[in-house]
Amino acid sequence: MSEVRQPDAISARYSHARPRSQAQFDRDRQVMPGGVKGAYYHTPYPLTMDRGDGCYVWDVDGHRYVDFANHHTAQVLGHNHPAVTEAMATQLRRGLALGAPMGNEVELAEAMCGRVKSPARVRFCNSGTEATLHAIRLARGFTGRPKIAKFEGGYHGSHDAVEISVAPSLDEAGPADAPHAVPQVRGIAPHAVDEVVILPYDDESSVERLVSAHRQELACILLDPKAGVLPQRADFMRFVEQTARRCEVPLILDEIVGFRVGTGGIQEQIGITPDLTTYGKIIGGGLPVGAFGGRAELMDLLDGTQAPTGFFQSGTYSGHPLVMAAGLATLSQLTPAAFRHMNELTEHLCDGIARQLLRLEVKGKAVHSGSVFSIYFTDTELTDYRSLSGCDKERPRLVFLALLERGYFLSHNLGMNSLSLPIQAEHVDGLIDAFGEAVGATL
Ligand SMILES: Cc1ncc(COP(=O)(O)O)c(C=O)c1O
């Protein structure tokens, strides 16, 4: 495979065509560390967007892109969907944050419990991060056990319990079949690392051994199915569920991305029944949201109406009526036919990307779950966190920039992209052609 030859030409063209984004970024950096939230930054500087409509977004320099990033997969209906904007306008007229629920919180909860078998009840919060934090706390309180098990490479948001071994350097990560717990960032409470048992993906015997060895101290197994990023074998995920049952450790399934793959999320697709599930992203219709739900025995610990249970979860803006209105309107559009449309087009897209890579003789692949997809430059079989380590890290950024030149907006490392409902076959075919050209431009 050829080495990347033209990084400067692609970056220079990007900068030349986007002076307003540059000026905005320079201003941002004066008062916000790094200018923007971490996930937006890429070199030479990130885009500033002006507006979005349907499957398109426009940057402040006037460039229009077909949006395949969809705000970290959350914008499942694209932008300005009339069902969402009308529901929000109606809610805006009724009022915001009136100090009591306004009735639409229960409608969204009913819609979610109606779609997925496992949760008998759900509780809303403001982000996926909060959802995993509260689900873990509930599991700890329910079992009275201190530790959690999570998978190496699994991402569950930004709080101390889960920002462990998200993307550890292989120098620190220990043996593949008994990974060390490595703090992801500085500042995490030192004891947090000791409270996490790290499991390897795609390795039944290690999961069995580690969970069995720690079963007396494990409050939960937290499973990120890595939907569309590092999709896991269905039989592996079923094995994790069985191991959790056998060892009597509650299973928390993180469906913050996975709820996008179909009406009942990943759990329905592969046939598992977690004790608790965490949600976020699409259930907020483009507004900040999180939720966790599960079996009544656990969730009812949060019901202090009859007698104090010792549990409590709240938040000033949790279950905000505007968010609930947008989320409910979004779910109402997500029929089985809508999922079929997005999922079939994504499969077609990944096949097209594979054909382009073959034609160009570039090692790489596109993986997907439902309508979430990622593109990697490697010929290694991608099964666990460590198998991702051999991927070319620089080419995705250049291909991302070269795709912008051709009118397509993906995530800047080409991981965790997605389709939205308004995207049609012509947009997907356009991306397949543009991808071939963009990769060609990096050779
Ligand atoms: C699988 C998964 N879990 C949790 C989170 C955290 O959600 P939030 O960013 O809303 O805090 C994310 C965010 O991307 C995620 O992908």
Side-chain angles (χ1 to χ4, degrees), residues 53 103 216 223 355 361 398 423:
D53 194 41
Q216 302 299 340
L223 175 59
R355 274 198 311 280
E361 297 181 22
L398 294 172
I423 286 182

Side-chain angles (χ1 to χ4, degrees), residues 229-354:
V229 178
L230 183 62
Q232 292 299 300
R233 284 183 285 119
D235 56 341
F236 174 71
M237 289 193 274
R238 284 189 213 109
F239 181 85
V240 174
E241 184 205 27
Q242 285 154 15
T243 307
R245 295 268 166 276
R246 192 179 56 69
C247 294
E248 298 179 344
V249 178
L251 175 66
I252 305 178
L253 188 68
D254 183 338
E255 293 249 43
I256 287 163
V257 176
F259 196 43
R260 200 189 212 280
V261 307
T263 324
I266 297 251
Q267 55 191 273
E268 183 190 67
Q269 199 180 57
I270 62 173
I272 63 174
T273 308
D275 299 282
L276 291 170
T277 305
T278 54
Y279 298 95
K281 300 201 193 273
I282 68 163
I283 64 161
L287 298 179
V289 78
F292 59 104
R295 45 191 187 94
E297 194 188 354
L298 276 106
M299 292 303 291
D300 285 347
L301 294 170
L302 294 170
D303 176 357
T305 57
Q306 307 304 311
T309 61
F311 289 79
F312 182 72
Q313 181 278 331
S314 191
T316 301
Y317 286 124
S318 293
H320 191 285
L322 193 64
V323 182
M324 300 295 106
L328 197 54
T330 300
L331 284 198
S332 72
Q333 301 298 308
L334 292 176
T335 59
F339 284 115
R340 210 163 33 248
H341 169 77
M342 291 188 285
N343 295 354
E344 285 176 5
L345 278 181
T346 310
E347 200 160 332
H348 175 66
L349 173 62
C350 291
D351 290 346
I353 287 172

Side-chain angles (χ1 to χ4, degrees), residues 127-130 132 155-158 224 254 256-257 281 289 416:
S127 66
T129 293
E130 282 185 42
T132 59
Y155 180 66
H156 303 279
S158 47
D224 167 9
D254 183 338
I256 287 163
V257 176
K281 300 201 193 273
V289 78
M416 212 164 86

Side-chain angles (χ1 to χ4, degrees), residues 85-428:
T85 51
E86 279 160 28
M88 286 174 63
T90 303
Q91 184 58 46
L92 277 173
R93 283 190 292 273
R94 290 180 65 205
L96 295 174
L98 306 187
M102 296 181 73
N104 56 6
E105 189 173 343
V106 70
E107 288 182 59
L108 183 55
E110 285 168 354
M112 290 170 64
C113 293
R115 279 170 179 248
V116 194
K117 250 193 355 241
S118 75
R121 323 229 193 286
V122 297
R123 178 59 75 85
F124 293 103
C125 49
N126 301 295
S127 66
T129 293
E130 282 185 42
T132 59
L133 184 154
H134 289 297
I136 289 170
R137 184 181 287 171
L138 194 56
R140 279 197 169 119
F142 173 72
T143 58
R145 302 180 198 147
K147 293 193 179 181
I148 69 165
K150 78 170 281 288
F151 286 81
E152 186 172 61
Y155 180 66
H156 303 279
S158 47
H159 58 92
D160 281 13
V162 294
E163 275 196 297
I164 311 283
S165 295
V166 175
S169 94
L170 294 190
D171 297 341
E172 295 176 289
D177 61 356
H180 295 166
V182 182
Q184 185 63 24
V185 290
R186 292 174 66 174
I188 287 181
H191 63 83
V193 177
D194 302 330
E195 287 166 354
V196 181
V197 174
I198 301 296
L199 308 174
Y201 279 119
D202 197 52
D203 177 352
E204 278 88 344
S205 64
S206 298
V207 168
E208 164 108 70
R209 177 174 44 78
L210 289 164
V211 174
S212 299
H214 292 277
R215 60 191 292 177
Q216 302 299 340
E217 50 184 4
L218 281 181
C220 61
I221 300 173
L222 183 55
L223 175 59
D224 167 9
K226 296 296 253 182
V229 178
L230 183 62
Q232 292 299 300
R233 284 183 285 119
D235 56 341
F236 174 71
M237 289 193 274
R238 284 189 213 109
F239 181 85
V240 174
E241 184 205 27
Q242 285 154 15
T243 307
R245 295 268 166 276
R246 192 179 56 69
C247 294
E248 298 179 344
V249 178
L251 175 66
I252 305 178
L253 188 68
D254 183 338
E255 293 249 43
I256 287 163
V257 176
F259 196 43
R260 200 189 212 280
V261 307
T263 324
I266 297 251
Q267 55 191 273
E268 183 190 67
Q269 199 180 57
I270 62 173
I272 63 174
T273 308
D275 299 282
L276 291 170
T277 305
T278 54
Y279 298 95
K281 300 201 193 273
I282 68 163
I283 64 161
L287 298 179
V289 78
F292 59 104
R295 45 191 187 94
E297 194 188 354
L298 276 106
M299 292 303 291
D300 285 347
L301 294 170
L302 294 170
D303 176 357
T305 57
Q306 307 304 311
T309 61
F311 289 79
F312 182 72
Q313 181 278 331
S314 191
T316 301
Y317 286 124
S318 293
H320 191 285
L322 193 64
V323 182
M324 300 295 106
L328 197 54
T330 300
L331 284 198
S332 72
Q333 301 298 308
L334 292 176
T335 59
F339 284 115
R340 210 163 33 248
H341 169 77
M342 291 188 285
N343 295 354
E344 285 176 5
L345 278 181
T346 310
E347 200 160 332
H348 175 66
L349 173 62
C350 291
D351 290 346
I353 287 172
R355 274 198 311 280
Q356 294 286 14
L357 291 166
L358 205 61
R359 179 179 67 77
L360 294 160
E361 297 181 22
V362 171
K363 293 171 187 169
K365 58 190 70 179
V367 300
H368 78 105
S369 308
S371 56
V372 185
F373 69 97
S374 300
I375 302 168
Y376 298 106
F377 291 96
T378 179
D379 58 356
T380 308
E381 197 193 345
L382 298 176
T383 50
D384 60 358
Y385 167 69
R386 296 184 190 209
S387 62
L388 288 171
S389 65
C391 295
D392 182 336
K393 303 278 188 308
E394 173 62 355
R395 195 181 301 276
R397 185 186 74 83
L398 294 172
V399 172
F400 161 74
L401 295 178
L403 281 171
L404 291 176
E405 289 187 78
R406 290 159 178 82
Y408 295 89
F409 180 55
L410 277 73
S411 87
H412 62 79
N413 58 11
L414 303 187
M416 212 164 86
N417 312 286
S418 60
L419 270 67
S420 62
L421 196 54
I423 286 182
Q424 301 299 325
E426 76 226 44
H427 303 112
V428 168

